[in-house]
Amino acid sequence: MSSDRPLPTRRGLLAAAAAVAAGAAVSGPGAGRALAAPPSGAPAPAAGGGPRPSAARPLFLGTYTSQPGGGTGIGLASYDPVSGEIFPGGTLSGVADPSFLALSPCGRTLYAVNERRPGGVTAIALGEEGGHEVLNSRDTGGDAPCHLSVHPGGRFLLSANYTSGSVAVHPIGEDGSLGERTGLVEHTSPPPGPGQQGPHAHQILTTPDGGHVLAVDLGNDSVYTYRLDESAGTLAQVSVAALPPGAGPRALAFHPSGRYAYLANELSDTVSVCAYDPDTGRFTPGAPQPTGTGGVTSYPAQPLVSHNGAHAYLSNRGHNSVSHYAVEDEGASLRLLGTVPVGGDWPRHLALSPDGALMFACNQRSGTVTVFSVAPGTGDLSPVATAPAPIPVFALPL
């Protein structure tokens, strides 16, 4: 849906990072208002008035800085890994429209898209005691980049330009900074789907085996398979997988086996189980399946798979819920178990804590982040905390 983009055309260092986080951007559950950042040297308050627990872990939040009510940069917060409470820590300013974030494999550098026209990507060095530093920004060669990922080798940053329907490659220096763009591929075929004016690249990521790069294009109803030339930093197309016309594929998430992925189809309100062949790179979408949203107009956004591969989840904007699926047949099929309300409006990005015990849901329109506990075994979700945040569209818990 184009309404969640700023453009008119688009409807670790653990100890260091734990000392920071979303400042005035977030609060703990029950507070009902954003908490001010604590004075220097003072412990951050919990929602109930107590100090932030020493075991609190870092949380980075993406937002839009160009929209009314948005943030002023990347939200910096911390969370209690047991209770799910979120505590204030500040904002990393100087990063425009950081709607999607990615951490380098070494954990020392954070990357953000600059979802605007023209688009860009920014590198941030994570420093001790919150001394984070913006290293540099580079042009992506297109407009409104909405997704990025770091190649597993840590030497290249991949980004997807939504409005321009193109994908870009930037080399990464030893210090984590970004070099000049080495690759740019425009999705010129197949033709746009029903109601689309052109291609809309929405996601780019490396397959689990590391052999291929996949790009999901909502405008062309397609998923492109590429090979990355790690000498030249360029992409070569291998194949294109077609979705039903009007499906509007938005984002996918792989099963831990690496042989199957679950693809959210934004415009048809469905999810597809897709097979991936590591040898050929061929990506084969299966029949679209329901999201459980019934007759409510809804637009699924983010699929997510549990660390053990037993469960899959999907955020539903409009229905304002998270679909819960049982993963069966070693990843080859999904069985819908039901939906869980998020307690907010327009849930977009979903993320799991490193231990898989908590799930974070970013509710874009209500300006809240909902935290769920994830039950061991059943994968059931129970809301445990809610935090205000300015147009939260991405969460990265470490």
Side-chain angles (χ1 to χ4, degrees):
M1 290 290 289
S2 59
S3 57
D4 62 3
R5 300 288 179 198
L7 292 179
T9 52
R10 172 60 168 138
R11 318 158 272 130
L13 297 179
L14 182 59
V20 296
V26 300
S27 76
R33 59 183 176 84
L35 297 178
S40 178
R52 180 183 63 204
S54 59
R57 299 176 65 94
L59 172 67
F60 296 91
L61 296 175
T63 183
Y64 288 117
T65 60
S66 61
Q67 290 188 6
T72 58
I74 297 173
L76 306 171
S78 58
Y79 68 96
D80 186 326
V82 177
S83 71
E85 287 190 69
I86 297 176
F87 308 99
T91 303
L92 177 63
S93 59
V95 185
D97 289 313
S99 63
F100 204 94
L101 310 173
L103 191 68
S104 64
C106 67
R108 294 193 295 268
T109 311
L110 183 69
Y111 297 96
V113 298
N114 308 127
E115 191 176 335
R116 49 178 49 201
R117 177 186 295 151
V121 284
T122 296
I124 301 105
L126 300 182
E128 295 183 1
E129 300 303 322
H132 307 325
E133 176 188 1
V134 174
L135 296 174
N136 69 337
S137 297
R138 295 291 187 182
D139 192 321
T140 59
D143 295 336
C146 62
H147 186 272
L148 82 174
S149 60
V150 183
H151 189 261
R155 297 177 50 236
F156 295 97
L157 183 71
L158 312 170
S159 57
N161 294 309
Y162 176 85
T163 303
S164 303
S166 60
V167 291
V169 183
H170 287 82
I172 297 175
E174 291 186 3
D175 64 349
S177 63
L178 296 169
E180 292 288 352
R181 186 179 67 251
T182 55
L184 182 67
V185 179
E186 296 182 4
H187 294 163
T188 57
S189 64
Q196 301 297 308
Q197 302 304 309
H200 294 308
H202 209 296
Q203 185 188 39
I204 184 166
L205 75 169
T206 306
T207 55
D209 65 298
H212 299 90
V213 170
L214 301 181
V216 180
D217 196 296
L218 186 152
N220 285 355
D221 294 320
S222 300
V223 178
Y224 297 77
T225 298
Y226 295 102
R227 285 193 184 276
L228 174 65
D229 184 329
E230 296 188 46
S231 297
T234 55
L235 294 170
Q237 184 174 309
V238 175
S239 61
V240 181
L243 276 295
R250 177 183 174 97
L252 62 85
F254 267 94
H255 184 266
S257 68
R259 300 303 298 263
Y260 300 98
Y262 312 117
L263 178 62
N265 299 312
E266 174 178 325
L267 301 182
S268 64
D269 189 15
T270 60
V271 62
S272 299
V273 179
C274 307
Y276 165 69
D277 184 340
D279 294 331
T280 64
R282 185 169 296 279
F283 193 77
T284 307
Q289 299 179 215
T291 61
T293 56
V296 176
T297 300
S298 193
Y299 305 90
Q302 178 68 46
L304 185 67
V305 184
S306 63
H307 297 333
N308 63 5
H311 301 273
Y313 305 91
L314 182 66
S315 60
N316 300 305
R317 298 166 299 166
H319 193 254
N320 293 335
S321 66
V322 175
S323 299
H324 179 196
Y325 297 87
V327 178
E328 300 177 332
D329 301 326
E330 300 182 336
S333 63
L334 296 177
R335 178 168 55 88
L336 180 64
L337 299 176
T339 61
V340 180
V342 294
D345 189 7
W346 215 248
R348 185 158 150 176
H349 186 256
L350 301 177
L352 289 170
S353 57
D355 61 3
L358 297 173
M359 178 189 291
F360 297 78
C362 294
N363 304 311
Q364 179 176 350
R365 293 183 177 175
S366 58
T368 55
V369 177
T370 302
V371 186
F372 295 92
S373 65
V374 183
T378 66
D380 291 342
L381 302 178
S382 300
V384 294
T386 302
I391 311 185
V393 292
F394 183 88
L396 177 60
L398 301 183

